[in-house]
Amino acid sequence: MRSLLLFFAISFGFSSLVSVAFAQNEVTPAQEVYPAITVSVVGTQSLRDVIIASGLVSPVQQVNVAPLIEGQQIEELLVDVGDTVKAGQVMARLSRSTLDLQKSQLNASLASARATIAQAEAQLTQAKSSADEAQRSNARAIALKAAGNTSQAAADKANSAAISATAQLAFASQSLEATKANLALVQAQIANVDLQLDRTDVTAPVAGEITARNATLGGIASAAGQPMFVLIRDSALELRADIAERNLLRVLPGQSAVLNLSTGLAPLVGTVRLVEPTIDSATRLGRIRISFADSARVRSGMFVEATILVSQRRGLAVPVTALGTYQGDPSVMLVLDGTAKRKIVKTGVRDGGWVEITEGLAEGQIVVTKAGSFVRDGDRINPVAEDSTN
């Protein structure tokens, strides 16, 4: 077409036609198009500083019930695993036959001791009377000897009789004390047997739920080895959770916690009861104890994950996806006049999909939502608000 026009122009001298043809064939440069990048506005968010810990549900206090006497046969078992008992409730009964026999023998010894005391008291009375008579005879002999009315031999004989009678009185008195002591011994032995008889009833020292029963009918009760029963005091359970060493000092008694059950049931609300003062040297984990009220929904040994609320505050935040790293420091891509500029920041709490920015940004600034996108420092972009993409 252009050649044809040029031919007519040369042939007919239409120079203006040539100018029009070239003007129609001129190409205008296209406008430069920048990539559309999703951005977010830096704003304040309510942020929760939480720590995740996990562990097993355990009794707050586990009580082992062992027999207080040994060597007796187990005759009755009155409770089983899963039963709830009251303090003082009889859980098992041991054989009483041997102890009843011992008590009968001791009762006979008690009667014998009381009879011996009666005899000793009579002997003491007789010895006292004889001693008094001997003392009077000796006094008369001394008086007669002084008056010259008796011989020296008679006076010496009276004196020896008085001494002998006094010795007999002392012996009778000591015999009475010995029989009284024997009576007290027998009474103590009877009291001991009565105590053992009372202990043939194995009772619950505290109220609680029975989790184990190792006793068997016909077995011999013994405090060695496994306890007869194991119970959870007051049926109270707690979570004993392991926590990373770096987080241990941030957890304090009284902080609230949400317990997520592996069974899929609704979470439980708990409170940090105790932070144990030591760290396991092998695992480098600390341990905390979290109490909760609704023990009926969990069982001892169940695995539970706890979310512990350390603090809650409002602060500047950006999406976690906006955060990247540059030479080991956290950074974001700040958007200024359509240009992406790398900005080093300092971070704080991470809560869900948000991260707190403690230094480096101001409220209202715009950052690239996904720092991992193909945006480099200095790139020109077409910012698209995150809300507009929904």
Side-chain angles (χ1 to χ4, degrees), residues 21-63:
F22 276 100
Q24 289 177 348
N25 197 47
E26 184 177 356
V27 180
T28 59
Q31 286 187 340
E32 184 176 359
V33 178
Y34 300 125
I37 301 296
T38 304
V39 296
S40 300
V41 179
V42 180
T44 58
Q45 295 284 340
S46 178
L47 301 169
R48 300 167 71 252
D49 185 8
V50 297
I51 294 175
I52 305 299
S54 60
L56 301 178
V57 175
S58 302
V60 175
Q61 185 176 0
Q62 181 172 284
V63 179

mmCIF file of all heavy atoms in Angstrom, residues 21-63:
data_model
loop_
_atom_site.group_PDB
_atom_site.id
_atom_site.type_symbol
_atom_site.label_atom_id
_atom_site.label_comp_id
_atom_site.label_asym_id
_atom_site.label_seq_id
_atom_site.Cartn_x
_atom_site.Cartn_y
_atom_site.Cartn_z
ATOM 1 N N ALA A 21 0.215 9.254 4.652
ATOM 2 C CA ALA A 21 0.478 7.811 4.694
ATOM 3 C C ALA A 21 1.469 7.467 5.793
ATOM 4 O O ALA A 21 1.278 6.513 6.553
ATOM 5 C CB ALA A 21 0.966 7.333 3.329
ATOM 6 N N PHE A 22 2.534 8.210 5.896
ATOM 7 C CA PHE A 22 3.522 7.929 6.943
ATOM 8 C C PHE A 22 2.974 8.202 8.337
ATOM 9 O O PHE A 22 3.287 7.499 9.293
ATOM 10 C CB PHE A 22 4.798 8.764 6.693
ATOM 11 C CG PHE A 22 5.727 8.108 5.716
ATOM 12 C CD1 PHE A 22 5.749 8.518 4.391
ATOM 13 C CD2 PHE A 22 6.570 7.073 6.098
ATOM 14 C CE1 PHE A 22 6.588 7.904 3.476
ATOM 15 C CE2 PHE A 22 7.407 6.464 5.177
ATOM 16 C CZ PHE A 22 7.433 6.877 3.866
ATOM 17 N N ALA A 23 2.125 9.206 8.442
ATOM 18 C CA ALA A 23 1.518 9.507 9.746
ATOM 19 C C ALA A 23 0.614 8.390 10.198
ATOM 20 O O ALA A 23 0.581 8.012 11.373
ATOM 21 C CB ALA A 23 0.746 10.838 9.660
ATOM 22 N N GLN A 24 -0.131 7.777 9.269
ATOM 23 C CA GLN A 24 -1.015 6.678 9.622
ATOM 24 C C GLN A 24 -0.225 5.433 10.014
ATOM 25 O O GLN A 24 -0.696 4.611 10.788
ATOM 26 C CB GLN A 24 -1.944 6.370 8.441
ATOM 27 C CG GLN A 24 -2.989 7.429 8.208
ATOM 28 C CD GLN A 24 -3.844 7.110 6.989
ATOM 29 O OE1 GLN A 24 -3.508 6.220 6.195
ATOM 30 N NE2 GLN A 24 -4.947 7.850 6.850
ATOM 31 N N ASN A 25 0.971 5.268 9.535
ATOM 32 C CA ASN A 25 1.757 4.057 9.797
ATOM 33 C C ASN A 25 2.651 4.183 11.028
ATOM 34 O O ASN A 25 3.291 3.234 11.441
ATOM 35 C CB ASN A 25 2.607 3.725 8.573
ATOM 36 C CG ASN A 25 3.124 2.299 8.613
ATOM 37 O OD1 ASN A 25 2.355 1.380 8.888
ATOM 38 N ND2 ASN A 25 4.396 2.133 8.349
ATOM 39 N N GLU A 26 2.677 5.317 11.774
ATOM 40 C CA GLU A 26 3.549 5.531 12.948
ATOM 41 C C GLU A 26 3.016 4.761 14.164
ATOM 42 O O GLU A 26 1.836 4.767 14.431
ATOM 43 C CB GLU A 26 3.612 7.027 13.255
ATOM 44 C CG GLU A 26 4.576 7.345 14.404
ATOM 45 C CD GLU A 26 4.674 8.847 14.646
ATOM 46 O OE1 GLU A 26 4.059 9.621 13.882
ATOM 47 O OE2 GLU A 26 5.338 9.220 15.603
ATOM 48 N N VAL A 27 3.908 4.014 14.985
ATOM 49 C CA VAL A 27 3.539 3.182 16.143
ATOM 50 C C VAL A 27 3.764 3.976 17.421
ATOM 51 O O VAL A 27 4.879 4.476 17.652
ATOM 52 C CB VAL A 27 4.366 1.887 16.178
ATOM 53 C CG1 VAL A 27 3.972 1.047 17.384
ATOM 54 C CG2 VAL A 27 4.165 1.106 14.894
ATOM 55 N N THR A 28 2.739 4.045 18.321
ATOM 56 C CA THR A 28 2.864 4.750 19.617
ATOM 57 C C THR A 28 3.289 3.748 20.685
ATOM 58 O O THR A 28 2.759 2.629 20.749
ATOM 59 C CB THR A 28 1.526 5.382 20.022
ATOM 60 O OG1 THR A 28 0.562 4.362 20.110
ATOM 61 C CG2 THR A 28 1.089 6.405 18.982
ATOM 62 N N PRO A 29 4.255 4.075 21.525
ATOM 63 C CA PRO A 29 4.704 3.154 22.577
ATOM 64 C C PRO A 29 3.586 2.904 23.584
ATOM 65 O O PRO A 29 2.861 3.810 23.990
ATOM 66 C CB PRO A 29 5.887 3.883 23.209
ATOM 67 C CG PRO A 29 5.644 5.325 22.916
ATOM 68 C CD PRO A 29 4.966 5.379 21.590
ATOM 69 N N ALA A 30 3.429 1.562 24.073
ATOM 70 C CA ALA A 30 2.410 1.190 25.066
ATOM 71 C C ALA A 30 2.817 1.646 26.461
ATOM 72 O O ALA A 30 4.015 1.738 26.774
ATOM 73 C CB ALA A 30 2.188 -0.329 25.052
ATOM 74 N N GLN A 31 1.829 1.910 27.319
ATOM 75 C CA GLN A 31 2.116 2.295 28.697
ATOM 76 C C GLN A 31 2.687 1.099 29.462
ATOM 77 O O GLN A 31 2.247 -0.034 29.268
ATOM 78 C CB GLN A 31 0.842 2.769 29.402
ATOM 79 C CG GLN A 31 0.380 4.146 28.955
ATOM 80 C CD GLN A 31 -0.775 4.631 29.784
ATOM 81 O OE1 GLN A 31 -1.451 3.839 30.422
ATOM 82 N NE2 GLN A 31 -0.999 5.932 29.771
ATOM 83 N N GLU A 32 3.668 1.325 30.446
ATOM 84 C CA GLU A 32 4.280 0.240 31.235
ATOM 85 C C GLU A 32 3.274 -0.224 32.301
ATOM 86 O O GLU A 32 2.690 0.584 33.017
ATOM 87 C CB GLU A 32 5.554 0.743 31.914
ATOM 88 C CG GLU A 32 6.294 -0.353 32.658
ATOM 89 C CD GLU A 32 7.607 0.161 33.243
ATOM 90 O OE1 GLU A 32 7.935 1.347 33.042
ATOM 91 O OE2 GLU A 32 8.283 -0.642 33.915
ATOM 92 N N VAL A 33 3.113 -1.565 32.430
ATOM 93 C CA VAL A 33 2.160 -2.152 33.381
ATOM 94 C C VAL A 33 2.934 -2.783 34.527
ATOM 95 O O VAL A 33 3.818 -3.627 34.312
ATOM 96 C CB VAL A 33 1.281 -3.220 32.687
ATOM 97 C CG1 VAL A 33 0.325 -3.850 33.703
ATOM 98 C CG2 VAL A 33 0.507 -2.601 31.535
ATOM 99 N N TYR A 34 2.610 -2.398 35.827
ATOM 100 C CA TYR A 34 3.274 -2.932 37.013
ATOM 101 C C TYR A 34 2.477 -4.123 37.574
ATOM 102 O O TYR A 34 1.253 -4.167 37.463
ATOM 103 C CB TYR A 34 3.408 -1.865 38.104
ATOM 104 C CG TYR A 34 4.207 -0.668 37.646
ATOM 105 C CD1 TYR A 34 3.651 0.612 37.727
ATOM 106 C CD2 TYR A 34 5.489 -0.823 37.130
ATOM 107 C CE1 TYR A 34 4.364 1.716 37.303
ATOM 108 C CE2 TYR A 34 6.221 0.285 36.698
ATOM 109 C CZ TYR A 34 5.653 1.547 36.783
ATOM 110 O OH TYR A 34 6.360 2.613 36.364
ATOM 111 N N PRO A 35 3.163 -5.092 38.197
ATOM 112 C CA PRO A 35 2.444 -6.258 38.741
ATOM 113 C C PRO A 35 1.551 -5.874 39.915
ATOM 114 O O PRO A 35 1.928 -5.043 40.755
ATOM 115 C CB PRO A 35 3.573 -7.194 39.188
ATOM 116 C CG PRO A 35 4.744 -6.304 39.406
ATOM 117 C CD PRO A 35 4.621 -5.193 38.392
ATOM 118 N N ALA A 36 0.377 -6.464 39.946
ATOM 119 C CA ALA A 36 -0.561 -6.224 41.055
ATOM 120 C C ALA A 36 -0.134 -7.074 42.256
ATOM 121 O O ALA A 36 -0.056 -8.306 42.156
ATOM 122 C CB ALA A 36 -1.978 -6.568 40.630
ATOM 123 N N ILE A 37 0.150 -6.436 43.388
ATOM 124 C CA ILE A 37 0.628 -7.102 44.604
ATOM 125 C C ILE A 37 -0.313 -6.767 45.753
ATOM 126 O O ILE A 37 -0.647 -5.592 45.969
ATOM 127 C CB ILE A 37 2.063 -6.678 44.954
ATOM 128 C CG1 ILE A 37 3.018 -7.002 43.814
ATOM 129 C CG2 ILE A 37 2.517 -7.344 46.253
ATOM 130 C CD1 ILE A 37 3.157 -8.482 43.522
ATOM 131 N N THR A 38 -0.738 -7.799 46.480
ATOM 132 C CA THR A 38 -1.622 -7.591 47.622
ATOM 133 C C THR A 38 -0.850 -6.940 48.777
ATOM 134 O O THR A 38 0.265 -7.369 49.116
ATOM 135 C CB THR A 38 -2.208 -8.924 48.104
ATOM 136 O OG1 THR A 38 -2.870 -9.558 47.020
ATOM 137 C CG2 THR A 38 -3.195 -8.720 49.244
ATOM 138 N N VAL A 39 -1.437 -5.923 49.357
ATOM 139 C CA VAL A 39 -0.793 -5.202 50.462
ATOM 140 C C VAL A 39 -1.741 -5.148 51.657
ATOM 141 O O VAL A 39 -2.944 -5.365 51.524
ATOM 142 C CB VAL A 39 -0.380 -3.779 50.036
ATOM 143 C CG1 VAL A 39 0.671 -3.821 48.936
ATOM 144 C CG2 VAL A 39 -1.605 -2.987 49.575
ATOM 145 N N SER A 40 -1.172 -4.866 52.820
ATOM 146 C CA SER A 40 -1.942 -4.740 54.068
ATOM 147 C C SER A 40 -1.553 -3.457 54.768
ATOM 148 O O SER A 40 -0.412 -2.980 54.653
ATOM 149 C CB SER A 40 -1.689 -5.935 54.993
ATOM 150 O OG SER A 40 -2.062 -7.139 54.373
ATOM 151 N N VAL A 41 -2.503 -2.887 55.489
ATOM 152 C CA VAL A 41 -2.273 -1.662 56.252
ATOM 153 C C VAL A 41 -1.847 -2.033 57.668
ATOM 154 O O VAL A 41 -2.478 -2.881 58.318
ATOM 155 C CB VAL A 41 -3.539 -0.791 56.271
ATOM 156 C CG1 VAL A 41 -3.301 0.487 57.093
ATOM 157 C CG2 VAL A 41 -3.963 -0.435 54.860
ATOM 158 N N VAL A 42 -0.786 -1.420 58.146
ATOM 159 C CA VAL A 42 -0.324 -1.646 59.513
ATOM 160 C C VAL A 42 -1.325 -1.024 60.485
ATOM 161 O O VAL A 42 -1.634 0.173 60.381
ATOM 162 C CB VAL A 42 1.078 -1.046 59.734
ATOM 163 C CG1 VAL A 42 1.540 -1.293 61.169
ATOM 164 C CG2 VAL A 42 2.071 -1.634 58.739
ATOM 165 N N GLY A 43 -1.864 -1.824 61.398
ATOM 166 C CA GLY A 43 -2.844 -1.334 62.358
ATOM 167 C C GLY A 43 -2.694 -2.021 63.697
ATOM 168 O O GLY A 43 -1.863 -2.916 63.872
ATOM 169 N N THR A 44 -3.489 -1.611 64.657
ATOM 170 C CA THR A 44 -3.436 -2.199 65.991
ATOM 171 C C THR A 44 -4.346 -3.415 66.049
ATOM 172 O O THR A 44 -5.412 -3.435 65.438
ATOM 173 C CB THR A 44 -3.851 -1.180 67.061
ATOM 174 O OG1 THR A 44 -5.171 -0.714 66.780
ATOM 175 C CG2 THR A 44 -2.889 -0.008 67.095
ATOM 176 N N GLN A 45 -3.901 -4.408 66.795
ATOM 177 C CA GLN A 45 -4.655 -5.644 66.975
ATOM 178 C C GLN A 45 -4.606 -6.034 68.448
ATOM 179 O O GLN A 45 -3.682 -5.666 69.179
ATOM 180 C CB GLN A 45 -4.039 -6.775 66.137
ATOM 181 C CG GLN A 45 -4.120 -6.573 64.645
ATOM 182 C CD GLN A 45 -5.501 -6.844 64.102
ATOM 183 O OE1 GLN A 45 -6.305 -7.510 64.738
ATOM 184 N NE2 GLN A 45 -5.790 -6.320 62.911
ATOM 185 N N SER A 46 -5.616 -6.775 68.889
ATOM 186 C CA SER A 46 -5.592 -7.363 70.228
ATOM 187 C C SER A 46 -4.789 -8.658 70.144
ATOM 188 O O SER A 46 -5.180 -9.597 69.442
ATOM 189 C CB SER A 46 -7.016 -7.649 70.715
ATOM 190 O OG SER A 46 -6.988 -8.250 71.992
ATOM 191 N N LEU A 47 -3.672 -8.697 70.828
ATOM 192 C CA LEU A 47 -2.728 -9.814 70.722
ATOM 193 C C LEU A 47 -2.630 -10.556 72.044
ATOM 194 O O LEU A 47 -2.595 -9.934 73.120
ATOM 195 C CB LEU A 47 -1.341 -9.305 70.320
ATOM 196 C CG LEU A 47 -1.279 -8.556 68.988
ATOM 197 C CD1 LEU A 47 0.060 -7.880 68.823
ATOM 198 C CD2 LEU A 47 -1.542 -9.505 67.833
ATOM 199 N N ARG A 48 -2.612 -11.875 71.959
ATOM 200 C CA ARG A 48 -2.499 -12.733 73.138
ATOM 201 C C ARG A 48 -1.167 -13.470 73.091
ATOM 202 O O ARG A 48 -0.881 -14.178 72.125
ATOM 203 C CB ARG A 48 -3.662 -13.719 73.184
ATOM 204 C CG ARG A 48 -5.016 -13.065 73.246
ATOM 205 C CD ARG A 48 -6.157 -14.024 72.966
ATOM 206 N NE ARG A 48 -6.335 -14.967 74.067
ATOM 207 C CZ ARG A 48 -6.029 -16.248 74.021
ATOM 208 N NH1 ARG A 48 -5.488 -16.771 72.922
ATOM 209 N NH2 ARG A 48 -6.244 -17.035 75.045
ATOM 210 N N ASP A 49 -0.384 -13.291 74.141
ATOM 211 C CA ASP A 49 0.892 -14.008 74.254
ATOM 212 C C ASP A 49 0.622 -15.336 74.949
ATOM 213 O O ASP A 49 0.292 -15.368 76.143
ATOM 214 C CB ASP A 49 1.892 -13.172 75.067
ATOM 215 C CG ASP A 49 3.269 -13.812 75.105
ATOM 216 O OD1 ASP A 49 3.498 -14.809 74.385
ATOM 217 O OD2 ASP A 49 4.135 -13.315 75.857
ATOM 218 N N VAL A 50 0.726 -16.414 74.207
ATOM 219 C CA VAL A 50 0.394 -17.727 74.756
ATOM 220 C C VAL A 50 1.590 -18.662 74.630
ATOM 221 O O VAL A 50 2.470 -18.478 73.787
ATOM 222 C CB VAL A 50 -0.838 -18.345 74.054
ATOM 223 C CG1 VAL A 50 -2.065 -17.489 74.282
ATOM 224 C CG2 VAL A 50 -0.576 -18.534 72.562
ATOM 225 N N ILE A 51 1.597 -19.680 75.494
ATOM 226 C CA ILE A 51 2.613 -20.729 75.483
ATOM 227 C C ILE A 51 1.895 -22.067 75.395
ATOM 228 O O ILE A 51 0.905 -22.299 76.098
ATOM 229 C CB ILE A 51 3.487 -20.662 76.751
ATOM 230 C CG1 ILE A 51 4.304 -19.368 76.769
ATOM 231 C CG2 ILE A 51 4.423 -21.870 76.838
ATOM 232 C CD1 ILE A 51 5.102 -19.163 78.043
ATOM 233 N N ILE A 52 2.404 -22.925 74.551
ATOM 234 C CA ILE A 52 1.816 -24.250 74.375
ATOM 235 C C ILE A 52 2.610 -25.260 75.193
ATOM 236 O O ILE A 52 3.844 -25.298 75.133
ATOM 237 C CB ILE A 52 1.804 -24.664 72.892
ATOM 238 C CG1 ILE A 52 1.086 -23.600 72.049
ATOM 239 C CG2 ILE A 52 1.145 -26.015 72.728
ATOM 240 C CD1 ILE A 52 -0.348 -23.383 72.436
ATOM 241 N N ALA A 53 1.910 -26.045 75.977
ATOM 242 C CA ALA A 53 2.540 -27.113 76.762
ATOM 243 C C ALA A 53 1.648 -28.350 76.665
ATOM 244 O O ALA A 53 0.442 -28.243 76.410
ATOM 245 C CB ALA A 53 2.719 -26.694 78.220
ATOM 246 N N SER A 54 2.236 -29.498 76.862
ATOM 247 C CA SER A 54 1.460 -30.737 76.781
ATOM 248 C C SER A 54 1.962 -31.718 77.823
ATOM 249 O O SER A 54 3.117 -31.647 78.268
ATOM 250 C CB SER A 54 1.558 -31.357 75.382
ATOM 251 O OG SER A 54 2.908 -31.666 75.069
ATOM 252 N N GLY A 55 1.077 -32.618 78.211
ATOM 253 C CA GLY A 55 1.453 -33.606 79.219
ATOM 254 C C GLY A 55 0.303 -34.553 79.500
ATOM 255 O O GLY A 55 -0.662 -34.646 78.732
ATOM 256 N N LEU A 56 0.400 -35.228 80.626
ATOM 257 C CA LEU A 56 -0.581 -36.240 81.005
ATOM 258 C C LEU A 56 -1.353 -35.801 82.247
ATOM 259 O O LEU A 56 -0.798 -35.130 83.127
ATOM 260 C CB LEU A 56 0.112 -37.577 81.281
ATOM 261 C CG LEU A 56 0.907 -38.177 80.128
ATOM 262 C CD1 LEU A 56 1.581 -39.467 80.571
ATOM 263 C CD2 LEU A 56 0.027 -38.422 78.920
ATOM 264 N N VAL A 57 -2.596 -36.196 82.296
ATOM 265 C CA VAL A 57 -3.425 -35.940 83.475
ATOM 266 C C VAL A 57 -2.992 -36.906 84.579
ATOM 267 O O VAL A 57 -2.822 -38.108 84.344
ATOM 268 C CB VAL A 57 -4.910 -36.145 83.148
ATOM 269 C CG1 VAL A 57 -5.765 -35.989 84.402
ATOM 270 C CG2 VAL A 57 -5.349 -35.149 82.074
ATOM 271 N N SER A 58 -2.796 -36.371 85.780
ATOM 272 C CA SER A 58 -2.331 -37.172 86.919
ATOM 273 C C SER A 58 -3.115 -36.787 88.165
ATOM 274 O O SER A 58 -3.694 -35.691 88.237
ATOM 275 C CB SER A 58 -0.834 -36.943 87.165
ATOM 276 O OG SER A 58 -0.071 -37.260 86.020
ATOM 277 N N PRO A 59 -3.142 -37.663 89.166
ATOM 278 C CA PRO A 59 -3.799 -37.293 90.426
ATOM 279 C C PRO A 59 -3.055 -36.157 91.117
ATOM 280 O O PRO A 59 -1.815 -36.103 91.080
ATOM 281 C CB PRO A 59 -3.724 -38.584 91.252
ATOM 282 C CG PRO A 59 -3.449 -39.679 90.274
ATOM 283 C CD PRO A 59 -2.663 -39.066 89.171
ATOM 284 N N VAL A 60 -3.807 -35.267 91.732
ATOM 285 C CA VAL A 60 -3.165 -34.240 92.555
ATOM 286 C C VAL A 60 -2.429 -34.901 93.716
ATOM 287 O O VAL A 60 -1.295 -34.541 94.038
ATOM 288 C CB VAL A 60 -4.223 -33.244 93.081
ATOM 289 C CG1 VAL A 60 -3.588 -32.248 94.046
ATOM 290 C CG2 VAL A 60 -4.877 -32.508 91.915
ATOM 291 N N GLN A 61 -3.053 -35.905 94.308
ATOM 292 C CA GLN A 61 -2.405 -36.677 95.370
ATOM 293 C C GLN A 61 -2.874 -38.121 95.283
ATOM 294 O O GLN A 61 -4.070 -38.401 95.354
ATOM 295 C CB GLN A 61 -2.726 -36.099 96.750
ATOM 296 C CG GLN A 61 -1.969 -36.788 97.884
ATOM 297 C CD GLN A 61 -2.224 -36.140 99.227
ATOM 298 O OE1 GLN A 61 -2.974 -35.173 99.342
ATOM 299 N NE2 GLN A 61 -1.598 -36.656 100.259
ATOM 300 N N GLN A 62 -1.934 -39.017 95.090
ATOM 301 C CA GLN A 62 -2.238 -40.445 95.034
ATOM 302 C C GLN A 62 -1.915 -41.077 96.378
ATOM 303 O O GLN A 62 -0.847 -40.857 96.943
ATOM 304 C CB GLN A 62 -1.417 -41.104 93.925
ATOM 305 C CG GLN A 62 -1.679 -42.590 93.761
ATOM 306 C CD GLN A 62 -0.997 -43.155 92.536
ATOM 307 O OE1 GLN A 62 -1.431 -42.963 91.409
ATOM 308 N NE2 GLN A 62 0.106 -43.861 92.757
ATOM 309 N N VAL A 63 -2.849 -41.849 96.906
ATOM 310 C CA VAL A 63 -2.719 -42.435 98.241
ATOM 311 C C VAL A 63 -2.645 -43.958 98.105
ATOM 312 O O VAL A 63 -3.515 -44.572 97.484
ATOM 313 C CB VAL A 63 -3.908 -42.035 99.140
ATOM 314 C CG1 VAL A 63 -3.762 -42.666 100.524
ATOM 315 C CG2 VAL A 63 -4.006 -40.518 99.238
#
